[in-house]
Each structure stands twice: as structure tokens, then as C-alpha cells.
Amino acid sequence: MSMDSPVKHSFALTSRYHAHYPQRCGEALDEALYSTDAYDAWRSLDPGRASPVFSRFAALPALTKRELRAGGPQGFVPHGRDVAEGLAAREIELVATSGATGDQVTNVWYQPWWNASEAASWQLNAHARAAATGSHREAILTSPRCAGFPCEEGYLTMEQRTLGRFLFLSERSDPSSWSSELMNRMVEELNAFEPVVLEANPSFLARLSRHIVGRRLYVYSPALIVLTYENPSVLHRRQIRRAFDAPIASSYGATEAGYVFMECESGRLHQVTTTCHVDFLPFSSEHGGPDVGRILVTIFGNPWRSLVRFDIGDVVQLDGHTPCPCGRREGLTLMSVEGRTMNLTLTPEGRAVTQGTVDRALGSVAGLLEYQILQTASSSYHFRFVAEEAAMQSVANEARDALRTVYGPAAIITTDRVEAIAPAPPGKYCLSKRLEPIDPDVLLDDQFAPSEL
Ligand SMILES: [Zn+2]
């Protein structure tokens, strides 16, 4: 390390971990730096094996999707394994993910590791632990472009949308265009299939829930609803709770990194410490730190993938250092996932506002069904919304007031009532966004910011 580069701090020093955890971190780090081609340039930044492992992590850069693309699938495979051979032996697959900016990353997919990561996440929620056996029936409601069988013209039969123990409820990727007949079919299939777990994209399940409540339909309640694919809005959760009796848990992860956090039965999110390490990078106090910040994920035990300090692109809020009532104490505990860095907006004075902050403020607006905030200039915000028929005018006024509590009196807020809001491809809703994207690096507390190569 050169004389002028400041010592970087690690937030992990304030968390509790099981006895073998630092060693697992060290193994993951050594495998990356000394046996994986993509990390060659990082080696000179490593303070060395004699240093505490969390300090070694802190001295390194962040891994971005740009590097994942540049290294290619083979670049992140530890020495001794070959992608072509793994594919030929059908041990692995290649899975492409499309990022928010449309940039595609091709990942080596090793199903046994993914399954282990998912099973480890179930241990962090009492309902999941009791219900999810790995052979349980599961219904999935998400964009078929994320998982399932896409079909935008005509419809598929239930058999065509069933894969082993999984039933994919929708072949259509835009809930704003779902017909009543399609949603009736989903309800009938839930009642016939009786899934143990319903895994859903929250905005998709919220749309179905509004239909169920509006038509007063009977719907089977699974043992657990797992929300994933996108960050659930307060509104989505409320609409789902009106239609289903089941407990709800939010599961957080990424195609690149597996399962990273799971919501416990007390409503906080616990780190899946068996299969990953998480570095927390707090924002500066001006932008909501030190309890709000970004996260970098390092994975353990995947023989086909070395992933260290991967910038997963989300903003989280720590739980404020009070122990979770569920009794789990290990690793990072979050109060919330606050949305993606691309969902950040700024106050007219230039302070960062997370999607979670906007969402909680709008959560109390009665009659609001869906919304989207677009910051069009430094103090201009455009609010599009879907409202219950009877509440059109009150929603516009109440939402404007709620948004003023977030953005302050200088904010100019325009509103636009619409019939429906469609998700962006491949099927994810965007609740808030700034027209001119924010560089998330400038929001960080310097002491924790990743080193530059
Ligand atoms: Zn808990």
C-alpha cells in the first residue's frame, strides 16, 4: 500500500460471527487473489495473510458488473476447472442476467451451490424452516422472463407451466395488462395446486391480491409467501396481506451472488452467513449514513465461482444495533433493503433519498395503489399514480404532502393519475428514479469507500 492511500475501515469488525467465519472469509479471499485469473490486478493491494481478514477485504476494490463482463465466465472460475468441460459434463450452465442498464453478464450457474444457498436462507425464518423441505410444492408468480415460460400471445396450459414441484402462475410479463380471466385462472390454480410456498414478485402478487379482494374470491393460503425478484413496497405488502392469511418473508439475493439476506419472523433481514460475507459501506452522514449504505457480497464454497466484494447495486439500512427479537445474532442484520442505487433521488439541496424513504412516506396515503416518482431536475419531481376510484383527488393531495416531508418545501411536485403502471423489462417495477443518474460512489463515507486499482 502506498504512503498516501488512507487506511480503509471495515464495518464487519462490529458484527458477530461464528467461530469458523473469519477462516472461511480468508479462504474465499485467498482463492480469489491466488487462484482466480480475474483478480490478478488486486493482489498488489492485499496487505497480506498476516493482516486480519476484514482489513484485507477493506483494502480491496469493489467488483462491478463491468469486471464480470470483462473477465468472462472462465475468469471467475478458480484454477483447475474449465467451463467448457463443466458444460460438456452438464455439471454447470451459463445463465445471462440483464442489468438495470441493459448490460448483460453471463454467469456460471452451479445448481447444487444455489440450492445450498437457498436452504441456508430458510434457516433464518421459522416459517420457512418448518415448511420448506426442498421437495415442497411451490407456486411462482413473477415475470416469466425472470423465471418460467414466457408467452405473450395466447395462453399456456397448467401442464405447460409446471416443472417438477414448481408451478409458474403467469406466462405474461406485464401485470398492468393481465385480464380478469387470467387472474381468475391464477386463483383457481392456487386452489387446486395448494402450494406450500408461494414465491412472488411483490408487485405481481399485489396486482393479483387487488383482484382477489375486489372480487371477493376465495384463495388458498400457503404456509409461507416469499417475496423476491424486487424490493417490496409498503403498499404491495399491505395489498397482499388483505388477500392472504399466510406469513410473508422477503428474500434478498441476486443471480450473481445467491441468497444474501432473509427476513426473519420478526421482520428484520439476517445475513446468510453460511454461504456469504457482506461488507457494508456506509454513506456519509450528509446522505443518511452511517446506518444507510451500500453492500458488497463475497460468496463461500462455490467450486465454480469466485466472487469477492461484488457490488450488488443495492442500498440497505442497518437495524440500529438493537438485538432482533427472534434471537439470531450472527452477521449483519438489516432493518430494510432500501432499493437500488439507481432508485436514489436527491433533495433540492442535494441529499440522497432512498426508495425506501419515499415508500414509507407514501405508505400512509389511503387509496394509493401504485406509484412512480421521477426526479426530472434538481428540485422537480413527477409523481404518477394509480388510485382507488373514490380517492382520486385526496390521493394526489396527500401524496404531495407526504413527498414534501421527504424532499422539503423547495420541491416542485407535479402529479399525474394513470390507469396502470407497467414494469420495465424484464418485469420489474421502478418506484423512484432520477432522470440523470447519481454516481453512488460520491455518497460514501471515505473511510469505508473501496480502494481504487
Ligand atoms: Zn430476526
Side-chain angles (χ1 to χ4, degrees):
M1 200 180 286
S2 65
M3 290 300 287
D4 58 352
S5 79
V7 172
K8 299 294 184 178
H9 293 268
S10 169
F11 211 87
L13 293 168
T14 63
S15 294
R16 273 210 251 178
Y17 299 101
H18 57 84
H20 304 297
Y21 187 87
Q23 189 189 332
R24 301 206 76 182
C25 288
E27 286 163 5
L29 190 51
D30 286 340
E31 181 173 67
L33 296 178
Y34 299 99
S35 317
T36 310
D37 291 343
Y39 299 95
D40 281 351
W42 290 27
R43 220 171 289 143
S44 62
L45 293 172
D46 179 17
R49 289 184 174 117
S51 297
V53 71
F54 298 137
S55 307
R56 292 178 67 196
F57 275 120
L60 296 172
L63 180 71
T64 65
K65 288 198 174 187
R66 191 176 54 238
E67 277 97 38
L68 285 183
R69 271 193 305 279
Q74 184 67 50
F76 290 89
V77 175
H79 294 164
R81 286 176 195 271
D82 180 77
V83 169
E85 285 173 19
L87 289 170
R90 308 185 78 153
E91 201 180 336
I92 53 166
E93 291 169 63
L94 294 180
V95 172
T97 54
S98 58
T101 50
D103 302 325
Q104 241 186 18
V105 174
T106 303
N107 300 281
V108 173
W109 185 271
Y110 180 56
Q111 191 69 42
W113 184 82
W114 183 267
N115 293 349
S117 166
E118 183 178 32
S121 77
W122 292 334
Q123 299 305 309
L124 299 173
N125 177 288
H127 305 291
R129 191 178 186 149
T133 56
S135 58
H136 58 278
R137 280 188 314 284
E138 196 163 312
I140 295 170
L141 180 59
T142 187
S143 168
R145 302 192 184 282
C146 295
F149 305 95
C151 175
E152 305 292 354
E153 299 279 331
Y155 293 93
L156 303 174
T157 65
M158 192 169 168
E159 287 70 31
Q160 288 171 318
R161 287 175 284 105
T162 303
L163 188 68
R165 63 190 179 89
F166 300 103
L167 168 64
F168 296 91
L169 288 169
S170 178
E171 58 274 64
R172 297 292 174 84
S173 59
D174 178 3
S176 70
S177 67
W178 286 351
S179 66
S180 294
E181 290 73 23
L182 176 60
M183 289 187 277
N184 287 340
R185 188 198 74 186
M186 293 179 195
V187 173
E188 283 161 20
E189 290 185 358
L190 280 171
N191 293 343
F193 187 69
E194 299 191 340
V196 175
V197 173
L198 169 56
E199 181 181 278
N201 183 324
S203 58
F204 281 52
L205 187 56
R207 177 73 195 91
L208 179 63
S209 297
R210 297 201 297 272
H211 178 77
I212 290 168
V213 172
R215 303 283 172 110
R216 300 181 185 206
L217 301 178
Y218 165 79
V219 66
Y220 176 83
S221 267
L224 178 67
I225 292 173
V226 175
L227 302 181
T228 186
Y229 303 104
E230 65 181 16
N231 194 28
S233 157
V234 174
L235 303 180
H236 295 150
R237 278 193 181 249
R238 187 186 304 149
Q239 291 161 18
I240 294 166
R241 260 194 229 105
R242 281 188 190 139
F244 292 89
D245 286 332
I248 299 173
S250 185
S251 170
Y252 171 86
T255 308
E256 295 88 353
Y259 291 77
V260 180
F261 286 96
M262 178 74 177
E263 182 181 349
C264 73
E265 58 281 7
S266 302
R268 298 194 197 176
L269 291 125
H270 295 281
Q271 180 195 337
V272 185
T273 53
T274 329
T275 49
C276 72
H277 169 67
V278 178
D279 279 309
F280 175 73
L281 312 176
F283 283 174
S284 65
S285 56
E286 182 195 357
H287 294 298
D291 276 354
V292 174
R294 285 155 60 195
I295 51 172
L296 307 178
V297 181
T298 297
I299 65 171
F300 304 147
N302 185 340
W304 282 98
R305 195 147 168 82
S306 168
L307 204 69
V308 171
R309 284 169 67 79
F310 173 60
D311 182 357
I312 201 162
D314 286 287
V315 180
V316 303
Q317 181 175 11
L318 299 181
D319 77 341
H321 318 287
T322 52
C324 184
C326 80
R328 294 178 184 87
R329 297 283 178 272
E330 247 188 63
L332 277 186
T333 304
L334 309 180
M335 203 58 101
S336 59
V337 174
E338 289 285 294
R340 303 191 61 72
T341 50
M342 60 156 286
N343 296 131
L344 289 164
T345 49
L346 297 176
T347 64
E349 296 75 30
R351 284 193 305 277
V353 175
T354 65
Q355 175 182 285
T357 304
V358 174
D359 193 57
R360 284 185 293 274
L362 290 169
S364 58
V365 176
L368 176 62
L369 296 177
E370 287 187 39
Y371 70 87
Q372 197 167 58
I373 294 277
L374 181 65
Q375 182 173 13
T376 51
S378 61
S379 51
S380 302
Y381 308 84
H382 188 56
F383 177 70
R384 297 170 70 222
F385 67 99
V386 180
E388 284 170 8
E389 208 60 49
M392 266 162 48
Q393 199 49 49
S394 63
V395 164
N397 293 335
E398 283 183 39
R400 206 180 287 116
D401 291 345
L403 291 170
R404 287 239 165 75
T405 66
V406 173
Y407 293 111
I412 302 158
I413 299 159
T414 50
T415 64
D416 185 12
R417 180 184 175 261
V418 295
E419 287 302 316
I421 296 174
K428 299 191 184 198
Y429 277 86
C430 169
L431 298 179
S432 68
K433 190 179 169 173
R434 193 167 188 267
L435 202 54
E436 190 184 318
I438 299 161
D439 174 4
D441 287 346
V442 307
L443 307 174
L444 295 176
D445 179 335
D446 271 347
Q447 297 181 82
F448 295 86
S451 300
E452 305 266 339
L453 269 177

